[in-house]
Amino acid sequence: MKKLINAPDDVLTDALIGFGAAYPELTVNLEDRYITRGPTAGKVGLVSGGGSGHEPLHGGFVGYGMLDAACPGEVFTSPVPDQLLAATKAVNGGAGVLHIVKNYTGDVLNFQMAAELAGDDGLQVESVLVNDDVAVENSTYTAGRRGTGGTVFVEKIVGAAAERGADLATCAAIGREVNDRSRSFGVALTANVIPATGSPGFELGDNEIEIGVGIHGEPGRARGPMSTAREVAAIALEAIHADMPLDDEVMVMVNGLGGTPLIELYVVYAAVADWLKAHGGIITRNLVGDYITSLEMAGCSITVCRMTPDLTDLWDAPVQTPALRWGR
Amino acid sequence: MKKLINAPDDVLTDALIGFGAAYPELTVNLEDRYITRGPTAGKVGLVSGGGSGHEPLHGGFVGYGMLDAACPGEVFTSPVPDQLLAATKAVNGGAGVLHIVKNYTGDVLNFQMAAELAGDDGLQVESVLVNDDVAVENSTYTAGRRGTGGTVFVEKIVGAAAERGADLATCAAIGREVNDRSRSFGVALTANVIPATGSPGFELGDNEIEIGVGIHGEPGRARGPMSTAREVAAIALEAIHADMPLDDEVMVMVNGLGGTPLIELYVVYAAVADWLKAHGGIITRNLVGDYITSLEMAGCSITVCRMTPDLTDLWDAPVQTPALRWGR
């Protein structure tokens, strides 16, 4: 295993120290393991979190117009309830706290426990579950669909609504709407290597790809032969299309899983744009880059969100985080 | 070879089509092979370029406050003079054009030829050569030092100066000053794979790293054993320190070479911040992420620029490009 780390056990701590040094406008609580911009009086607090190894998700999305706190678990491991509770309390501005939870069993249980504990302390907590990945119905770590790229859209759009003063119920409703309108599908070309084990999370042949891969490298629908960017885009979009109409205004993310060069993501984006145009879709907003990764896995995921004028307006609102920034 | 492409010969064209689709505010000239935001009357035009495979450099840095045009060559291949000439003319706003050239023999010759041709047409062209990589004095494609991460700082800072109305001589002087104050050093953990050949650009053992690697995978100073993030940071910073004092205010970039997860770059940044603090350095600005890559190479480079209040002010000025954006 070749990784730029000091010791497998220290990866998260060292990364959090580095993150805190790089973004002094944010606070890293090393003891309780969360990143925050602190509470904003009268604003709904947004907390997300999950296993590490998906950077910039979630820490890279903490800041004005997006999350108030992120709780990183160890690599590919859910954050614990105490950690989530501490972050929930830290961002309480008096208007309640919204948890944005990717649908993995451990995440769901631990966020739920934290919400109950916060409720015992008189804090109002709502939760939005993200389950946008159409690849499989149940998976290694999941009952139901997995939460993947749609999380980025949910966090940005709800973040804007919260910044504008939407109340807790409204923020939750907008988050659910974005999730309902979002679908994702991923393809892996190579495996990731988890620092704690030091070996590939799975094996792929020289000419093989994992179709519908999860963000931890968990299996998708099938193994297939290595294909062109156009074929990969078509596989992903057909899977999404089978689940949701795409003949209207959409936002698209072509997301790198970590080990794929940006030049290839542009090639994929060209194929995605072509495919959607041929199927009546109109791309009104896009992201091309690494936003929700799986360590050094090569491959990409495609996320599509059916937009409305209100959602577009919230997407366009100012944001200032390490990984997404505009309008400020 | 597993890559998200359609055919090796089409990579650049397909990527440019995708780039153009993703960033409709920019113009991609597919015939002459450049990306531009068009000319701005009365402003010095800034043109950079070089081989592809280093994305987001340079196309990702075209936009307000940074470049006016970027000329991508084929992967790891210099852009040709005609292409550079066309871009130079396309951004002529009447105040002359500045070429920002990384020090590789082909780039230098071709930019020079384009400048001469533009001069024949009555266009005033100046050139800034970036040669910030302290690893080796001459290399596979270079006489003298290679140009690497410092290019990002030069393009951003000169871009801000040009936006504020600095004349051609001033832009060139600021570019040279930033280059003089910048030093870089890179380390590779794995090789890249050039699409045209389909095989690794070089071979590295399971426990080996290339110390002082170039952004094409060209050799550095030595092969060494795989080391910790702290050791890698120290190797790079000691090499830089041997060439430039670091006991004052500095800007630091911890740059991923393409295949290294962001979580590892945070770990490296923590080590860099520690090392600099112990040696009297004060980090006033930073970038952590993939800014000048080498396809899917795993590893990182560290760039340090000794700052002045004027350079910091220009760095902080608004910028709106695909890869760097703030203040707008």
Side-chain angles (χ1 to χ4, degrees), chain B residues 244-257:
Chain B
M244 184 173 79
L246 293 175
D247 56 350
D248 207 337
E249 298 201 341
V250 293
M251 174 157 65
V252 171
M253 175 167 70
V254 170
N255 171 64
L257 290 172

Side-chain angles (χ1 to χ4, degrees), chain B residues 14 43 53 74 132 187 204-205 233 243 250 301:
Chain B
D14 289 349
K43 190 184 89 67
E74 293 291 331
D132 58 310
V187 173
L204 265 179
D243 204 66
V250 293
S301 64

Side-chain angles (χ1 to χ4, degrees), chain A residues 21-48:
Chain A
Y23 305 105
E25 67 275 22
L26 301 176
T27 300
V28 174
N29 186 318
L30 275 179
E31 197 184 339
D32 288 329
R33 304 259 147 176
Y34 62 83
I35 294 161
T36 186
R37 56 169 165 145
T40 301
K43 190 183 90 68
V44 171
L46 303 189
V47 177
S48 194

Side-chain angles (χ1 to χ4, degrees), chain A residues 1-7 10-12 14-19 21-24 52-53 55-56 59-60 75 187-190 204-209 226-232 258-271 273 286-288 290 293 295-296 298-300 322 325-328, chain B residues 1-7 10-12 14-19 21-24 52-53 55-56 59-60 75 187-190 204-209 226-232 258-271 273 286-288 290 293 295-296 298-300 322 325-328:
Chain A
M1 174 186 64
K2 288 197 277 191
K3 284 183 176 289
L4 288 170
I5 62 175
N6 296 307
D10 298 339
V11 171
L12 179 55
D14 288 350
L16 284 173
I17 291 169
F19 186 91
Y23 305 105
S52 293
E55 291 69 24
V75 172
V187 173
L189 276 58
T190 65
L204 265 179
D206 281 348
N207 192 40
E208 228 178 10
I209 58 176
M226 184 59 212
S227 307
T228 65
R230 264 185 221 108
E231 288 162 346
V232 166
T260 282
L262 184 53
I263 192 170
E264 297 180 29
L265 298 183
Y266 294 146
V267 172
V268 172
Y269 187 77
N286 73 79
L287 285 179
V288 183
D290 289 7
T293 61
L295 295 169
E296 64 274 83
C300 72
R325 185 165 173 179
W326 55 72
R328 276 169 76 98
Chain B
M1 175 186 65
K2 288 198 277 190
K3 285 184 176 287
L4 288 170
I5 62 175
N6 296 306
D10 298 339
V11 170
L12 179 54
D14 289 349
L16 284 174
I17 291 171
F19 186 91
Y23 305 105
S52 293
E55 292 68 25
V75 171
V187 173
L189 275 56
T190 66
L204 265 179
D206 282 348
N207 192 40
E208 229 178 9
I209 59 176
M226 184 59 211
S227 307
T228 65
R230 264 185 222 108
E231 288 162 346
V232 166
T260 282
L262 185 52
I263 192 171
E264 296 180 28
L265 298 183
Y266 294 146
V267 172
V268 173
Y269 187 76
N286 73 80
L287 285 178
V288 183
D290 288 7
T293 60
L295 296 169
E296 64 275 83
C300 72
R325 185 166 175 179
W326 55 73
R328 275 168 77 100

Side-chain angles (χ1 to χ4, degrees), chain A residues 69-80:
Chain A
C71 296
E74 293 292 331
V75 172
F76 294 174
T77 304
S78 297
V80 297

Side-chain angles (χ1 to χ4, degrees), chain A residues 289-311:
Chain A
D290 289 7
Y291 294 99
I292 169 170
T293 61
S294 183
L295 295 169
E296 64 274 83
M297 187 190 284
C300 72
S301 64
I302 295 168
T303 302
V304 185
C305 178
R306 300 185 69 207
M307 298 302 274
T308 67
D310 284 352
L311 295 184

Side-chain angles (χ1 to χ4, degrees), chain B residues 276-298:
Chain B
L276 283 168
K277 195 174 175 190
H279 290 76
I282 300 154
I283 305 179
T284 58
R285 296 291 182 277
N286 73 80
L287 285 178
V288 183
D290 288 7
Y291 294 99
I292 169 169
T293 60
S294 183
L295 296 169
E296 64 275 83
M297 187 189 285

